[in-house]
């Protein structure tokens, strides 16, 4: 219940009662005075003198002489001096408030009681009661059937889904809009549950909705039941029944296997690697006037392989090259793959940069490397499931706190270890674009959770340079992915240094042509950033175009025809080398604007007059 105006009703202005003269005020003896006798009765001034008025909101009754008498006696003394404050009888005020409060509460109780018998009481969410000097708003509790979130369900609603499924999103939105609690089993997050889905429904199609152990069906069945009114009946029937053990179980933290074939994926070279880790003389060496830590000579590894496998030297060298290709070892300065002789090498886990990577857990992933495209698709599906569950429908607001404690995020953190030794050099141009765009956006979510939101300029620099993953045997931070790979090793704004130096092996991965549309597919967790999204290799160009149109439609560009001014996102200013000259940029963005903005901008471009370009403020606050 909300009380509006209560303060004004209880706080009345002081009565204009002339008070007794203060000590020392001898010139005011002719003014009327008000006193209270020993019985607590209010003594009024003589009839021919001005009479005091009762405070507003105070109940009065008329007397036979035409005057009004207050039911509650309150005395106020007004000082003759203009600077003095009124003297208040606290006990009388307390008595007045108590009595007034009791009468007020009784009035509200009577009015609310009358609402219970009124047939219109349930027509709205609230009703208003108007009392003397006060308006009371009473919020009525909804019937349980109109808001299922108020019900303590004994049963369980569950449905099988996949990431990026439009029908699954419709089912999810329906349950959320109705305030219904549900358990979602995403078979992209929990692959082992797909077998259960097929066994229960006879198909791998999703969504599939269950009320306890009973199959309700997919989106078509849900719409049919909702339109016929049968959904509510089944819902209330299920709500009173405890969920049996035969129903689809809710995913449990740490009890779902990511891949049932884990044992089969152990790398065939791992036996040799484990022996070499024990037998090689790993120590600090001096090379090129530098102390190189935890390394060994190429010839030492060749001899250890010969001794262990009892093979020839040529065979041992081939095995060494295979270990380097699979990123178990690498040259200390990344100058060659593997050679017999005095060149120095180290295991991947001994590289000083690798332990600082956030997808490294004390040791490298020794499983057989999966194709980079397959790992990227798996990561994308899990991260898409995370956003569907813990972000707003428009993806503008992300709940990082809930993500950090979710089972989906735990699985993502486990899965990124598969990036240690993937072969990103084998990816096509479109595959590389989608792979690194998706990985960048996923890493930003991980970075916000692990290291927090970047604050000032210095914090942002550390955020984008220090948070890194080991990918294909190399450390990549957010800066090297965006500016080194996606922008073909171009300097980031206000920097004089390129991400990769000459001779860096990662330059072979960098995209040869810079597509300016990538800037609208990158989310850096800021409010002014494009919304977070993930891309597919097959449709990367169309999906980037759509992302650009959405960004410009939502305020990335504004056209003021009267002032002949175009307001552009600051992203275009920072990366002007990717977009070109300002006038060319205005022509370029025409194809990504809606009809209204495109018409205004076309008019400005064609009339030959000057065009003013201003860049919008960039809001770096977190997109929560």
């Amino acid at each position: 219940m909300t009380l509006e105006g209560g303060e004004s009703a209880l706080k009345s202005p002081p009565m204009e009662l002339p008070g007794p003269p203060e000590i020392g005020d001898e010139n005011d003896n002719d003014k009327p005075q008000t006193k209270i006798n020993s019985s607590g009765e209010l003594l009024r001034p003589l009839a021919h003198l001005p009479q005091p008025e009762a405070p507003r909101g105070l109940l009065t009754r008329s007397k036979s002489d035409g005057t009004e008498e207050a039911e509650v006696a309150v005395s106020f003394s007004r000082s003759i001096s203009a600077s003095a404050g009124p003297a208040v009888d606290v006990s009388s005020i307390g008595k007045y408030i108590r009595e007034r409060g009791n009468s007020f509460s009784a009035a509200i109780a009577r009015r609310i009681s009358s609402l219970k018998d009124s047939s219109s009481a349930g027509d709205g969410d609230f009703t208003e009661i108007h009392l003397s000097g006060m308006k009371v708003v009473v919020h009525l509790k909804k019937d349980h059937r109109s808001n299922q979130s108020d019900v303590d369900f004994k049963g369980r609603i569950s449905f099988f889904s996949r990431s990026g499924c439009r029908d699954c999103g419709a089912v999810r939105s329906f349950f959320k809009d109705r305030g219904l609690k549900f358990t979602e089993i995403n078979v992209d997050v929990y692959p082992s549950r797909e077998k259960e889905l097929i066994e229960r429904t006879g198909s791998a199609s999703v969504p599939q909705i269950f009320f306890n152990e009973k199959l309700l069906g997919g989106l078509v069945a849900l719409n049919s039941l909702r339109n016929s009114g049968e959904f509510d009946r089944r819902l209330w029937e299920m709500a009173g029944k405890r969920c049996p053990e035969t129903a689809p179980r809710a995913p449990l933290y740490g009890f779902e296997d990511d891949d049932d074939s884990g044992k089969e994926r152990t790398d065939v070279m791992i036996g040799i690697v484990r022996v070499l880790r024990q037998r090689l003389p790993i120590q600090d060496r001096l090379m090129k006037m530098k102390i190189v830590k935890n390394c060994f000579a190429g010839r030492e590894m060749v001899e250890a392989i010969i001794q262990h496998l009892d093979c020839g030297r040529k065979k041992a060298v081939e095995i060494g090259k295979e270990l380097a290709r699979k990123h178990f070892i690498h040259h200390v300065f990344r100058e060659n793959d593997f050679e017999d002789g005095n060149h120095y090498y180290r295991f991947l886990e001994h590289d000083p940069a690798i332990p600082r990577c956030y997808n490294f857990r004390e040791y490298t992933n020794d499983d057989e490397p999966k194709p980079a495209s397959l790992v990227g698709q798996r990561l994308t599906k899990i991260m898409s499931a995370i956003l569907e569950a813990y972000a707003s429908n428009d993806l503008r607001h992300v709940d990082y706190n809930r993500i950090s404690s979710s089972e989906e995020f735990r699985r993502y953190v486990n899965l990124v270890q598969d990036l240690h030794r993937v072969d990103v050099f084998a990816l096509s141009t479109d595959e590389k674009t989608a792979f690194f765009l998706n990985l960048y956006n996923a890493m930003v979510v991980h970075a916000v959770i692990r290291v927090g939101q970047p604050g000032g300029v210095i914090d942002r620099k550390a955020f984008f340079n220090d948070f890194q993953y080991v990918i294909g045997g190399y450390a990549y931070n957010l800066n090297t992915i965006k500016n080194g790979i996606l922008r073909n090793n171009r300097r980031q704004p206000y920097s004089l240094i390129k991400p990769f130096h000459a001779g860096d092996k990662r330059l072979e991965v960098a995209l040869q042509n810079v597509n300016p549309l990538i800037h609208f597919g990158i989310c850096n967790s800021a409010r002014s950033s494009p919304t977070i999204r993930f891309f597919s290799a097959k449709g990367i160009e169309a999906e980037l175009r759509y992302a650009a149109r959405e960004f410009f439609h939502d305020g990335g560009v504004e056209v003021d025809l009267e002032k002949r001014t175009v307001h552009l996102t600051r992203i275009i200013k920072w990366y002007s080398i990717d977009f070109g000259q300002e006038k060319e940029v205005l022509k370029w963005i025409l194809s990504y604007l809606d009809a209204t903005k495109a018409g205004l901008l076309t008019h400005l471009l064609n009339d030959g007059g000057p065009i003013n370009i201003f860049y919008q403020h960039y809001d770096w606050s977190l997109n929560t």
Side-chain angles (χ1 to χ4, degrees), residues 41-190:
E41 297 178 353
L42 182 65
L43 300 181
R44 292 179 171 275
L46 297 177
H48 65 279
L49 295 177
Q51 299 298 317
E53 295 180 358
R56 287 176 294 178
L58 189 63
L59 298 177
T60 62
R61 64 170 178 263
S62 300
K63 296 180 67 177
S64 58
D65 57 1
T67 61
E68 292 183 341
E69 179 179 345
E71 289 184 352
V72 181
V74 183
S75 81
F76 292 90
S77 296
R78 184 180 64 183
S79 173
I80 302 302
S81 172
S83 62
V88 181
D89 187 337
V90 178
S91 62
S92 297
I93 291 179
K95 180 181 178 183
Y96 160 68
I97 292 175
R98 287 193 301 273
E99 293 184 1
R100 179 62 172 163
N102 292 337
S103 62
F104 171 70
S105 300
I108 292 179
R110 288 193 300 270
R111 179 64 175 133
I112 293 177
S113 297
S114 67
L115 291 175
K116 295 180 180 180
D117 299 329
S118 175
S119 60
S120 62
D123 292 343
D125 294 341
F126 65 90
T127 188
E128 293 184 1
I129 305 173
H130 293 275
L131 300 176
S132 176
M134 188 174 299
K135 180 176 75 174
V136 181
V137 180
V138 180
H139 291 270
L140 302 178
K141 188 174 182 179
K142 294 182 179 179
D143 180 77
H144 287 315
R145 292 182 179 269
S146 63
N147 186 3
Q148 290 88 350
S149 62
D150 294 334
V151 181
D152 182 18
F153 277 92
K154 294 181 181 179
R156 181 169 67 234
I157 302 173
S158 54
F159 81 96
F160 289 84
S161 67
R162 295 184 188 275
S163 300
C165 172
R166 185 173 300 179
D167 288 354
C168 297
V171 172
R172 189 184 303 110
S173 297
F174 173 78
F175 288 150
K176 287 183 178 180
D177 292 343
R178 295 286 292 266
L180 295 170
K181 294 182 179 180
F182 62 92
T183 297
E184 183 174 353
I185 307 169
N186 189 314
V187 295
D188 289 328
V189 179
Y190 312 105

Side-chain angles (χ1 to χ4, degrees), residues 412 434-446 463-464 469 477-483 486 521-525 532 534 575:
Y412 167 82
F435 178 87
F436 282 103
L437 273 174
N438 295 339
L439 194 57
Y440 183 97
N441 291 337
M443 286 176 65
V444 167
V445 174
H446 193 178
F463 181 87
F464 293 109
Y469 279 0
N477 58 38
L478 293 169
N479 175 36
T480 54
I481 290 178
K482 180 177 182 178
N483 300 298
L486 297 174
I522 288 176
C523 178
N524 57 22
S525 79
I532 186 169
F534 296 92
Y575 299 98

Side-chain angles (χ1 to χ4, degrees), residues 365-419:
N365 185 343
D366 288 339
D367 289 339
E368 178 71 24
K370 296 179 179 178
S373 58
L374 181 62
V375 176
Q377 292 171 10
R378 182 88 168 92
L379 289 173
T380 298
K381 288 180 178 179
I382 289 186
M383 189 54 68
S384 296
I386 289 174
L387 294 180
E388 290 168 354
Y390 307 111
S392 60
N393 291 335
D394 60 4
L395 301 180
R396 289 186 170 276
H397 307 286
V398 182
D399 193 339
Y400 294 98
N401 289 331
R402 292 181 63 199
I403 291 176
S404 65
S405 59
S406 69
E407 172 67 4
E408 295 94 332
F409 183 68
R410 185 192 74 84
R411 291 172 179 274
Y412 167 82
V413 173
N414 289 340
L415 185 59
V416 291
Q417 294 179 88
D418 286 347
L419 294 169

Side-chain angles (χ1 to χ4, degrees), residues 325 327 369-373 419 421-427 471-472:
R325 187 184 65 81
H327 303 294
K370 296 179 179 178
S373 58
L419 294 169
R421 298 188 295 110
V422 296
D423 185 8
V424 294
F425 297 93
L427 295 173
I471 306 169

Side-chain angles (χ1 to χ4, degrees), residues 17-32:
L17 300 180
E22 298 287 343
I23 298 177
D25 292 336
E26 300 177 353
N27 298 328
D28 292 328
N29 291 333
D30 57 339
K31 294 186 177 181

